[in-house]
Amino acid sequence: MTSEPATGEGESNASETAVTDAEDSSTEQDDADDVVDEDDDDSEDAEADDSDDDEDDEDDEDDEDDEDDEDDEDDEDDEDDEEDRLVEEGEIAGDYLEQLLDVLDFDGDIDLDVDGDRAVVSIDGGDDLAKLVGRKGEVLDALQELTRLAVQQATGDRSRLMLDIARWRADRRERLARLGTEVAERVRDSGEREALDPMTPFERKIVHDAVAAVDGVISESEGAEPKRRVVVIKVD
C-alpha cells in the first residue's frame, strides 16, 4: 500500500511559520519606529534645551545690560546730587556774606561757582576789599572759616567751601604756579634741591601740581604746620 504525504498538516505548519515571521517582522519594525521616535524626541528635547539655554544667555546679557544702565544712572544721580549740594552750600554762603558785608558797610559783588568738589564764592568790585584780605590773606582765611561754619550750621555737614576776595587767591594761585615751574626747571638744570617758604596746604598743592608738569623733578613736603614747606628734588 502506498502512503500519501500529509499535505494538510505541512501546509498548516508553513502557514503558521509565515504568520509568526510576519509578526516578528512587524514587531521589529515597530521597535525600529519606536527607536526612531525616541531619537526624534531626544533631538527635539536637545533642540529645546539649546533654545532654552540661548534664551537664558540672552536673558543674562539683558540683565547685565540693565545692571550697567542702572549703575550709570546711579553714578549720574550721585554726581547731580553732589553738584546740587555744592550749589546749596554756595547759596547759603552767599546769603551769609551778603549780610556780613552790610554789617561791615562794605560793597561788593558776590559770585557763586563750583570747582571740582568745592563750592567757590568770590567777592569783587567793591572799594577797600583789600582790608578783608589782610596781611598774607590772614583776614580772608578767618572769613572763609566763619563762612564754612555758617554753612555747616545750616546743612549739618562739614564744608570745604573756598572764599576769594578781590581775586587774592586767584592771583596767588597764578603766582605760585609760576614759582613752582621756575623752581622745577632750575632744579632740573642745576641738580640741587630747593626748599620753598612755608605755605598752607592749599598753596603747597598748587606748587606740587606745577612741579609735576616738569620732567626730571619731583616735589615733597617737609616740616610741621605752620612751617611745612615744599622741597623740589631732581631725579634720574
Side-chain angles (χ1 to χ4, degrees), residues 4 12 36 44 48 56 78 87 89 91 115 124 127-128 137 154-155 183 190-191 206 217 219 224:
E4 295 179 358
S12 176
V36 172
E44 290 175 358
D56 291 340
D78 291 342
V87 169
E89 281 193 10
E91 292 174 347
D115 183 12
D124 296 300
D127 297 331
D128 296 330
T155 64
V183 172
S190 68
I206 296 172
V217 293
S219 59

Side-chain angles (χ1 to χ4, degrees), residues 1-2 12 49 72 76 107 156 163 214:
M1 178 182 293
T2 304
S12 176
D49 291 340
D72 292 339
E76 292 176 359
D107 293 328
L163 174 63
V214 179

Side-chain angles (χ1 to χ4, degrees), residues 150-209:
V151 172
Q152 181 175 347
Q153 185 177 21
T155 64
D157 297 323
R158 184 175 182 276
S159 172
R160 300 178 65 246
L161 175 142
M162 182 73 67
L163 174 63
D164 195 6
I165 298 178
R167 284 189 54 82
W168 188 86
R169 291 197 195 279
D171 293 341
R172 178 69 170 160
R173 181 193 293 268
E174 293 175 0
R175 291 195 301 270
L176 288 172
R178 286 197 302 270
L179 175 63
T181 300
E182 292 171 0
V183 172
E185 292 175 346
R186 191 161 58 240
V187 169
R188 180 193 60 192
D189 296 338
S190 68
E192 297 183 2
R193 73 198 304 265
E194 282 194 36
L196 281 66
D197 292 334
M199 299 178 185
T200 66
F202 170 75
E203 294 170 336
R204 292 198 302 270
K205 184 181 184 306
I206 296 172
V207 175
H208 285 310
D209 291 343

